[in-house]
Amino acid sequence: MLLMDGVGWSRMVERTEAYFDDHKVVEDLGRRALRGGIVSLVMQYGNGALQLVGAIILARLLTPEDFGLVAIFIVVTSFAPMLIDFGLGEATAQRSRITPGQISSLFWFSTAGGVIVAVVSAAFGPLIASIFHDPRLGPITLCASVTFAFLGVSSQHMALLRRTMQFGAIARIQVSSTFVGVVVAVAMASYGYGYWALVLRPIASALCVVIGSWFLCSWKPGLPVFDSEVKSMMRFGLHVVGFSVAYNIAKAVDRIGLGLFYRPDVVGYYQNATVLYEYSILLVIGQAQAVGTPSLSKLRSDPVALRQKYEAALSVLAFFLMPIAAILSVTAQDITVLLLGEKWHVAGSLLSIVAARGIFQVVEGSQAWLHLSLGRPDRWQNWGVVTLGVQLMAVVAGLSFGPTGVAAATVLVALLIAIPSVVYAGGSIGIDAALVIRAVGPQLVGAIGILAAGWGLQIAILSDFQSLIRIPLSVAFCTFLYLLIVAGVFGLTGPIKLVGSVARDLMRTR
């Protein structure tokens, strides 16, 4: 028994030490990153599917007003999680060398930040209720603020899992937490608790993330060490959180504006359209950042290799994600009504516009890989401020045209800032507009082509078909046309071969 205990202890120590190994360049880094990314994305799509199932059930049990009320709290406090983590999770993931004492310091800082943000958020509940002229927002804010305290406790454990590229473990945590949150929300909605089901869902999920991250990450916090490296990581985190706050406010400003000038049900329609978009498109972009940052960080000392790996990764991501965004735009109305019910047809019309944003956000989202892997979060922060300014002007211009005008404005912003965001991020290592166009040009032409052709098909031929027939016909037509353009005309088949090769590797490994 003692021997087994000793062996178990030794293995636990080895696992813990792996979190603090120095970043090193390995020969198969690209394949390892892609393999981890594929596994993670598959599980993330499973997670997205689970969330979608929850959204479908809740949309049929609750009203657009219920969703609108909770959406107002979510968008107003959307920057709060960034203040909790303070960018220290990204600092941990990309740092070349870290020690247990330094991570302990960051852990206690994040934990304290979570508690402080939760208390401050709860205190602002009456003010939020007053601004949006709805007293129900006060109790909602008070209860939902508990989530922030949980986020601080799990931040560094999740960062260590990212640092060691354990993307499968991260995905398991996220899927499990989503499942628990959905079960809690559906049960409460079924018993008539209304919008409180949406309030308690993220609380239950955040608690599960704490439990899962502490279970799968063997590191445990100890006494903090405040040395020069910790101070450097906190400065790094300060710039990351600067971008994150600005960017998340920019993402939320559309719903904040709608909440100030329109009824809660209008916000509810827009929120569910945005949620469907996030489950299908932003989910992948966010996961690509989680995979790309620690992978490219290992190449910081070799700018040429970093540039090449970035171009290849962007090409693969655009190959698969741009057409998904276009197809979602074409089929948005049918999919939304089919999943959520006829009462959500307005959300379907909005999703058809919002989904087109994903074609360009594939490029814009990749800027994070460069800023963080190059150790320049200060420039990332600067770009976040630019994004916020442009988004704010666009939303103000679109508000007079209602939610449709706001949705169209966000698509225009995504188009305008896509290439400039990457050129600004990677200019120091020779990444320019020509490289971006070379990486995504055929995919962009193909996606825009099937967007136009798909809508033409819907209007001219499929308008009288039932949705269950119209959806698969549209998907098949758009997929065939995309492959014809990208693979047939431009001869771009590399991403298919690469993903197929990695998939075969995974099957052999298993």
Side-chain angles (χ1 to χ4, degrees), residues 64-112:
E65 184 177 6
D66 292 329
F67 281 90
L69 279 171
V70 179
I72 290 173
F73 165 78
I74 291 173
V75 297
V76 168
T77 61
S78 60
F79 62 90
M82 283 76 241
L83 298 178
I84 296 167
D85 177 75
F86 212 71
L88 300 178
E90 294 293 349
T92 298
Q94 67 85 227
R95 206 69 174 181
S96 298
R97 180 178 301 173
I98 56 174
T99 66
Q102 293 166 354
I103 298 302
S104 293
S105 301
L106 303 185
F107 168 81
W108 293 115
F109 185 89
S110 297
T111 300

Side-chain angles (χ1 to χ4, degrees), residues 65 68-70 72 125-141 195 259 263-265:
E65 184 177 6
L69 279 171
V70 179
I72 290 173
L127 179 61
I128 295 175
S130 176
I131 292 175
F132 289 91
H133 309 293
D134 197 316
R136 291 173 292 181
L137 287 170
I140 289 175
T141 304
Y195 56 81
R263 301 184 311 275
D265 61 318

Side-chain angles (χ1 to χ4, degrees), residues 209-467:
V209 170
V210 173
I211 296 171
S213 62
W214 278 65
F215 179 76
L216 292 179
C217 178
S218 56
W219 172 80
K220 298 297 181 287
L223 295 176
V225 175
F226 293 100
D227 56 16
S228 59
E229 283 299 311
V230 171
K231 295 177 181 178
S232 174
M233 293 172 77
M234 293 185 72
R235 285 194 296 271
F236 180 99
L238 179 63
H239 293 304
V240 171
V241 78
F243 167 82
S244 299
V245 169
Y247 186 73
N248 277 273
I249 293 176
K251 282 176 54 181
V253 72
D254 49 3
R255 281 151 289 176
I256 293 175
L258 290 172
L260 288 172
F261 295 100
Y262 294 90
R263 301 184 311 275
D265 61 318
V266 174
V267 183
Y269 290 128
Y270 195 97
Q271 172 68 5
N272 265 6
T274 303
V275 165
L276 290 175
Y277 169 71
E278 290 176 348
Y279 287 166
S280 54
I281 306 298
L282 284 189
L283 180 73
V284 182
I285 295 176
Q287 193 60 32
Q289 176 186 333
V291 175
T293 298
S295 302
L296 293 179
S297 293
K298 301 178 188 298
L299 301 173
R300 187 188 306 177
S301 60
D302 189 350
V304 175
L306 195 157
R307 184 173 64 246
Q308 292 173 344
K309 293 294 184 184
Y310 167 79
E311 181 179 354
L314 178 60
S315 178
V316 172
L317 186 65
F319 185 92
F320 294 101
L321 205 54
M322 283 185 174
I324 291 176
I327 292 172
L328 179 62
S329 176
V330 171
T331 59
Q333 183 73 66
D334 289 331
I335 288 176
T336 303
V337 172
L338 182 65
L339 295 179
L340 304 186
E342 184 62 38
K343 66 181 179 181
W344 291 97
H345 71 278
V346 175
S349 300
L350 294 172
L351 178 60
S352 65
I353 302 172
V354 172
R357 190 194 315 169
I359 298 175
F360 312 107
Q361 278 197 315
V362 174
V363 177
E364 185 215 350
S366 69
Q367 65 171 306
W369 308 350
L370 298 170
H371 284 303
L372 297 178
S373 62
L374 293 172
R376 293 304 306 269
D378 54 326
R379 291 174 63 82
W380 200 30
Q381 174 184 271
N382 295 340
W383 188 259
V385 175
V386 172
T387 302
L388 174 58
V390 175
Q391 184 83 344
L392 182 60
M393 289 188 293
V395 169
V396 169
L399 272 174
S400 59
F401 300 96
T404 302
V406 172
T410 62
V411 175
L412 180 61
V413 168
L415 167 64
L416 293 177
I417 68 175
I419 292 180
S421 68
V422 173
V423 173
Y424 178 74
S428 62
I429 59 171
I431 292 178
D432 54 14
L435 183 147
V436 177
I437 294 173
R438 184 169 65 245
V440 305
Q443 301 92 311
L444 183 61
V445 172
I448 294 176
I450 66 173
L451 182 67
W455 274 110
L457 181 71
Q458 290 266 325
I459 296 171
I461 300 177
L462 301 181
S463 59
D464 295 330
F465 284 65
Q466 294 182 351
S467 60

